[in-house]
């Protein structure tokens, strides 16, 4: 697995994506998720520089699209604007060489989840067609969300991925934990998540996972805010043990406030567990 921060590492002196990529490498990490979460401000020239920096440093890039996306808005103009925002993030990500583009599809408002699902699916099909027509090497990654008011539980996220070729899940384990009011926090529960991925999407999906992992505070209404792992009740060591045991591959992006510190912690433990497993096999 590859490990990295959600955005430019906190300890980076100059706050640019290019400097962030070099810092990721210097820290001994492998990946970085570009944060287009307010808007896509990056121009094409910068995107080409980012691509070069990532290649030179051997850093795997992904991207997070703007938060202001809602495919269940009552206002058709806002749905269209959501589509355009996601496409804008997709196009600039393609130039950056960031294949995985993470986003939150919708809010339920007061609508039945099945209707919201249909609306989200219809919009994602339009975007997937556009990606294909433009020949972009992009994988849309709807994220499992942290609040029950947000579309995107595990079932919905996996179903979208099963229905549309260009879509695969971004599994945010902290969000699953918060959304379920504190469940999804044991070895068996983490395995059950992977088992559903395998059932719905096949073994190949476990070899190409995009994961978010950080500490989290939550209430009965789901996610409150992200925390550093040490301040949270999320049993990340057990999760890492499951990922090692199942031979899962892909990228783990850390959204803890301390970004790179927790990313490094996860990477260290993951490799310790992997070494241990290797020793017990021989
Ligand atoms: Zn997100």
């Amino acid at each position: 697995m590859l490990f990295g921060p959600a955005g430019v590492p906190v300890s980076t002196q100059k706050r640019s994506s290019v400097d962030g990529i070099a810092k990721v490498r210097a820290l001994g990490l492998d990946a970085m998720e570009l944060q287009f979460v307010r808007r896509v401000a990056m121009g094409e020239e910068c995107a080409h520089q980012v691509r070069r920096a990532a290649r030179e440093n051997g850093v795997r890039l992904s991207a997070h699209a703007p938060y202001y996306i809602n495919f269940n808005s009552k206002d058709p103009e806002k749905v269209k604007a959501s589509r355009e925002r996601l496409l804008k993030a997709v196009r600039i990500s393609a130039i950056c060489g960031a294949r995985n583009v993470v986003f939150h599809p919708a809010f339920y408002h007061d609508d039945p989840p099945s209707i919201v699902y249909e609306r989200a699916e219809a919009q994602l099909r339009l975007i997937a067609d556009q990606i294909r027509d433009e020949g972009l090497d992009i994988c849309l990654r709807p994220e499992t969300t942290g609040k029950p008011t947000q579309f995107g539980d595990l079932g919905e996220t996996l179903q979208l991925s099963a229905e549309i070729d260009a879509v695969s899940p971004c599994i945010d384990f902290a969000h699953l934990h918060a959304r379920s009011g504190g469940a999804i926090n044991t070895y068996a529960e983490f395995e059950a998540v992977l088992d559903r991925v395998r059932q719905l999407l096949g073994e190949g999906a476990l070899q190409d996972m995009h994961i978010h992992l950080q500490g989290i505070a939550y209430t009965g209404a789901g996610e409150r805010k992200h925390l550093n792992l040490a301040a949270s009740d999320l049993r990340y060591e057990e999760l890492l043990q499951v990922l090692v045991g199942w031979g899962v591959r892909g990228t783990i992006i850390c959204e803890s406030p301390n970004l790179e510190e927790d990313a490094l912690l996860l990477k260290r433990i993951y490799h310790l567990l992997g070494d241990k497993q290797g020793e017990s096999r021989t």
Side-chain angles (χ1 to χ4, degrees):
M1 304 257 2
L2 303 178
F3 292 82
V8 173
V10 178
S11 57
T12 313
Q13 298 244 310
K14 215 175 124 222
R15 314 286 314 156
S16 77
S17 296
V18 168
D19 288 275
I21 289 164
K23 187 70 183 182
V24 162
R25 170 64 185 269
L27 286 163
L29 290 166
D30 325 292
M32 189 175 100
E33 192 147 288
L34 301 163
Q35 300 293 296
F36 302 133
V37 296
R38 288 174 207 284
R39 64 196 182 96
V40 181
M42 187 183 285
E44 288 195 17
E45 197 178 320
C46 178
H48 285 288
Q49 290 169 6
V50 165
R51 184 190 191 94
R52 247 192 323 274
R55 198 189 308 131
E56 282 167 10
N57 287 287
V59 170
R60 172 87 56 89
L61 293 180
S62 53
H64 198 306
Y67 293 133
Y68 310 106
I69 286 173
N70 183 8
F71 294 132
N72 190 39
S73 175
K74 303 249 176 306
D75 180 350
E77 283 302 313
K78 286 194 178 146
V79 173
K80 183 164 170 247
S82 294
R83 221 162 54 224
E84 281 163 3
R85 278 191 195 107
L86 183 49
L87 270 169
K88 194 171 180 199
V90 157
R91 290 182 183 121
I92 208 76
S93 297
I95 298 174
C96 291
R99 177 175 153 264
N100 294 316
V101 178
V102 177
F103 63 102
H104 313 164
F107 290 89
Y108 295 115
H109 304 298
D110 290 326
D111 297 321
S114 61
I115 302 284
V116 183
Y117 178 90
E118 279 171 25
R119 289 175 183 152
E121 188 192 338
Q123 294 303 314
L124 289 182
R125 281 195 192 279
L126 292 176
I127 293 165
D129 287 349
Q130 191 69 29
I131 288 172
R132 192 197 50 219
D133 292 349
E134 294 181 25
L136 303 176
D137 181 20
I138 288 291
C139 182
L140 295 170
R141 297 270 183 176
E143 177 179 348
T144 56
T145 50
K147 286 184 188 151
T149 51
Q150 288 173 296
F151 174 87
D153 67 10
L154 181 64
E156 290 162 339
T157 305
L158 296 182
Q159 192 60 35
L160 284 173
S161 308
E163 297 282 348
I164 307 173
D165 276 350
V167 176
S168 294
C170 171
I171 308 272
D172 187 317
F173 279 95
H175 284 171
L176 290 179
H177 175 53
R179 189 186 178 103
S180 64
I184 315 198
N185 203 25
T186 64
Y187 197 93
E189 287 167 321
F190 295 137
E191 282 199 313
V193 172
L194 296 186
D195 197 47
R196 282 182 77 185
V197 172
R198 188 167 59 186
Q199 298 274 342
L200 265 130
L201 307 179
E203 187 65 39
L206 293 179
Q207 300 301 310
D208 179 28
M209 289 280 272
H210 194 73
I211 291 171
H212 282 179
L213 187 53
Q214 59 280 332
I216 197 151
Y218 54 91
T219 65
E223 171 182 16
R224 197 164 64 79
K225 61 173 182 173
H226 288 180
L227 298 174
N228 294 334
L229 287 166
S232 158
D233 69 350
L234 186 68
R235 286 148 77 165
Y236 55 91
E237 291 196 32
E238 284 181 44
L239 173 57
L240 292 171
Q241 180 68 65
V242 171
L243 296 177
V244 168
W246 282 54
V248 169
R249 287 168 173 269
T251 306
I252 296 184
I253 294 295
C254 178
E255 294 183 326
S256 293
N258 70 13
L259 293 180
E260 66 264 37
E261 276 183 49
D262 274 358
L264 282 164
L265 175 70
L266 291 169
K267 181 172 179 177
R268 207 156 45 233
I269 295 171
Y270 174 83
H271 285 289
L272 274 174
L273 293 169
D275 291 348
K276 235 187 253 170
Q277 173 163 299
E279 280 163 22
S280 67
R281 274 205 189 124
T282 51

